[in-house]
Amino acid sequence: MTAAREYRRCAELADTAGDPAEGTAPPARHWFLVEHPGPWPRQALAGLDPAAAAALGAWAGEVGARVVLVRRPGRRDRDAVAPGRRWFRVDARPGHEDVRTGIWSSPAELAAAVHADGDPHPDPLVLVCAHSRHDACCAVRGRPLVAALVADDPEGTWECSHIGGCRFAPALVLLPHGLTYGGVTPADGPAVVREYGRGLVVPGLLRGRSALPPAVQAAQHHARAVTGATGVDDLGVADVDSDGRPPGHTSWRVAFHHPDCVVQVRERFVEVDRPLTCAARPAGRIRVFDLVDARS
């Protein structure tokens, strides 16, 4: 039995364990996407010019952003994009959703892009993590999903570097709202993206919205279950309160607008005797938000 477990990947183990995915979207109020055809090292930004990577990292720390590398699926010819690569700067905060884009051809231009005006980009961006050097599950599960999405929307779909939560692969991120999904199959992926185009979410697969704190993401998950709300903006946050206990013992009360709904969740950490990424070693620890109460 032990030997068999060693060959099971992290996403397979999480599927078997039934890990709850709500509240696991990567924290990011902003996103910055850098077109880079690869190969991507395990730490993706190490593939950029050091000075440019430092500038992007400093900006990300200031504004609460996540920087990822992106590339067109199936296109590996570096010379095809070398003369000018795209960047996208995304504001994912509720009520501030916006995407700006531009071209960079040098490390200096890339470093300056975080403050550049850029051009408006009105269309959604669809990201699927396919970062094999960071986690095998992302490639094994991500690339079939990418292929299905490209067949449906070739211009809006990008492969991206590590997002977080590899055990929920494939990771699908819809921008500018920062909606992060897990476990989306190639059969279901195009419908999830089309629903987003209509301003709707698919609650059963949604890990959370990146601009919201993890506890609020989890509470919103339960609020959708109680109210049946599926609109991207249906459940704006009215108030968040915690009991002030140390992390792992905190109770959160979250009040939502439209419709009026209040959810209480309790945060706890659970030790697990299995890897949480394919590159990790046991034991791991996962954060869980238990539903205490939900009323509308």
Side-chain angles (χ1 to χ4, degrees):
M1 181 66 70
T2 302
R5 287 182 59 189
E6 292 175 356
Y7 291 97
R8 298 184 66 192
R9 302 192 188 280
C10 67
E12 294 176 302
L13 294 170
D15 288 345
T16 299
D19 285 0
E22 61 268 18
T24 66
R29 296 190 298 273
H30 302 263
W31 294 72
F32 193 83
L33 317 182
V34 181
E35 185 177 10
H36 186 298
W40 299 336
R42 175 169 168 75
Q43 301 301 325
L45 297 193
L48 299 177
D49 172 82
L56 297 181
W59 170 81
E62 291 172 2
V63 303
R66 190 170 191 90
V67 181
V68 298
L69 305 185
V70 298
R71 63 190 174 202
R72 288 297 190 185
R75 301 176 185 178
R76 297 293 184 265
D77 184 354
R78 297 186 185 191
D79 294 335
V81 293
R85 301 175 183 176
R86 299 286 297 275
W87 58 261
F88 299 91
R89 191 180 66 245
V90 181
D91 190 335
R93 295 174 297 164
H96 299 270
E97 296 84 2
D98 183 60
V99 181
R100 296 279 165 166
T101 188
I103 301 294
W104 68 279
S105 299
S106 69
E109 290 178 344
L110 179 59
V114 294
H115 301 296
D117 289 338
D119 297 317
H121 185 81
D123 300 320
L125 295 167
V126 179
L127 310 184
V128 178
C129 180
H131 194 172
S132 59
R133 291 192 180 184
H134 196 282
D135 193 278
C137 284
C138 296
V140 170
R141 295 190 174 196
R143 284 175 182 156
L145 175 59
V146 167
L149 295 177
V150 167
D152 203 62
D153 180 14
E155 292 305 313
T157 304
W158 299 79
E159 289 184 359
C160 73
S161 59
H162 177 61
I163 293 299
C166 303
R167 71 188 193 277
F168 299 115
L172 169 66
V173 180
L174 303 179
L175 297 171
H177 288 81
L179 300 176
T180 304
Y181 286 86
V184 182
T185 67
D188 292 335
V192 172
V193 175
R194 286 195 293 269
E195 288 295 272
Y196 180 53
R198 298 171 55 207
L200 302 174
V201 303
V202 180
L205 299 170
L206 184 63
R207 292 169 54 188
R209 181 169 180 172
S210 69
L212 300 179
V216 178
Q217 296 176 26
Q220 191 175 71
H221 165 84
H222 294 295
R224 290 191 184 280
V226 169
T227 64
T230 58
V232 170
D233 296 313
D234 278 352
L235 291 164
V237 179
D239 184 60
V240 180
D241 188 28
S242 69
D243 58 14
R245 294 182 181 179
H249 304 278
T250 306
S251 180
W252 301 84
R253 179 185 178 277
V254 185
F256 296 96
H257 293 302
H258 312 302
D260 185 28
C261 180
V262 178
V263 175
Q264 184 178 357
V265 294
R266 182 174 293 112
E267 174 193 23
R268 63 188 174 96
F269 289 98
V270 180
E271 304 291 336
V272 294
D273 185 24
R274 56 184 165 89
L276 300 184
T277 71
C278 290
R281 297 180 178 179
R285 187 174 75 153
I286 63 174
R287 177 164 54 183
V288 175
F289 292 99
D290 296 317
L291 176 62
V292 177
D293 186 40
R295 61 187 68 181
S296 177

